[in-house]
């Protein structure tokens, strides 16, 4: 199945493996909250067991340097796509209020990005992430 939209998560290449996974998980959850249409239906097995839903389309994960992340953020904003972001400061906060305060304290050009996530029309996301490599 081909989707008209694309989900892309971009994580900073110099993070520890656990940090990359953490950032990816937080950003995926953020997209599901903003775009409920990306979440499918609940699952059930042949024994009647039920399970939570999954995102209904592929999520492509890319790696980038801090400079590439900043460029990707700029491209998204210029094209009217509102990304979810995760900054390095969020590794030191432990709740949503402090997370939002940490981001609010820094201007856009000084954000120490650890990752960002996008969901939009496929061709638009392709333009925003152009030049990035899929995570190995």
């Amino acid at each position: 199945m081909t989707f008209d939209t694309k989900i892309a998560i971009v994580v900073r290449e110099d993070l520890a493996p656990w940090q990359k996974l953490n950032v990816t998980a937080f950003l995926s959850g953020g997209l599901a909250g903003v775009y409920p249409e990306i979440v499918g239906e609940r699952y059930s097995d042949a024994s009647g067991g039920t399970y939570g839903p999954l995102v209904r389309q592929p999520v492509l994960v890319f790696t980038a340097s801090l400079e590439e992340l900043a460029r990707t953020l700029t491209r998204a904003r210029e094209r009217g796509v509102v990304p979810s972001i995760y900054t390095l400061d969020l590794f030191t906060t432990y709740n949503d209020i402090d997370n939002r305060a940490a981001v609010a304290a820094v201007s856009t050009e000084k954000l120490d990005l650890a990752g960002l996530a996008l969901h939009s029309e496929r061709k638009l996301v392709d333009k925003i992430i152009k030049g990035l490599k899929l995570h190995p």
Side-chain angles (χ1 to χ4, degrees):
M1 170 179 245
T2 302
F3 293 93
D4 294 335
T5 61
K6 184 177 247 182
I7 298 172
I9 296 179
V10 185
V11 294
R12 194 157 142 180
E13 62 192 3
D14 61 349
L15 297 177
W18 74 266
Q19 290 174 310
K20 289 178 183 179
L21 292 170
N22 189 264
V23 168
T24 302
F26 272 107
L27 291 171
S28 296
L31 287 180
V34 174
Y35 304 102
E37 68 273 13
I38 69 173
V39 178
E41 300 293 322
R42 286 184 169 267
Y43 286 73
S44 60
D45 63 27
S47 301
T50 59
Y51 308 94
L54 301 175
V55 172
R56 66 177 183 84
Q57 71 184 88
V59 177
L60 300 172
V61 181
F62 297 84
T63 60
S65 66
L66 177 58
E67 295 77 22
E68 290 169 322
L69 275 164
R71 181 187 72 213
T72 304
L73 177 60
T74 299
R75 287 178 179 173
R77 294 170 58 104
E78 289 172 352
R79 289 166 173 83
V81 175
V82 178
S84 295
I85 64 166
Y86 196 98
T87 67
L88 286 186
D89 292 335
L90 303 188
F91 286 115
T92 64
T93 58
Y94 300 101
N95 63 73
D96 191 51
I97 293 170
D98 290 339
N99 288 351
R100 284 184 281 114
V103 172
V106 182
S107 63
T108 303
E109 63 277 356
K110 293 187 179 181
L111 289 170
D112 198 4
L113 295 168
L116 61 82
L118 306 162
H119 173 257
S120 191
E121 188 270 322
R122 172 186 286 285
K123 290 182 182 179
L124 188 55
V125 171
D126 286 342
K127 289 178 183 176
I128 294 168
I129 62 171
K130 185 176 180 176
L132 299 180
K133 295 178 183 168
L134 281 170
H135 193 285

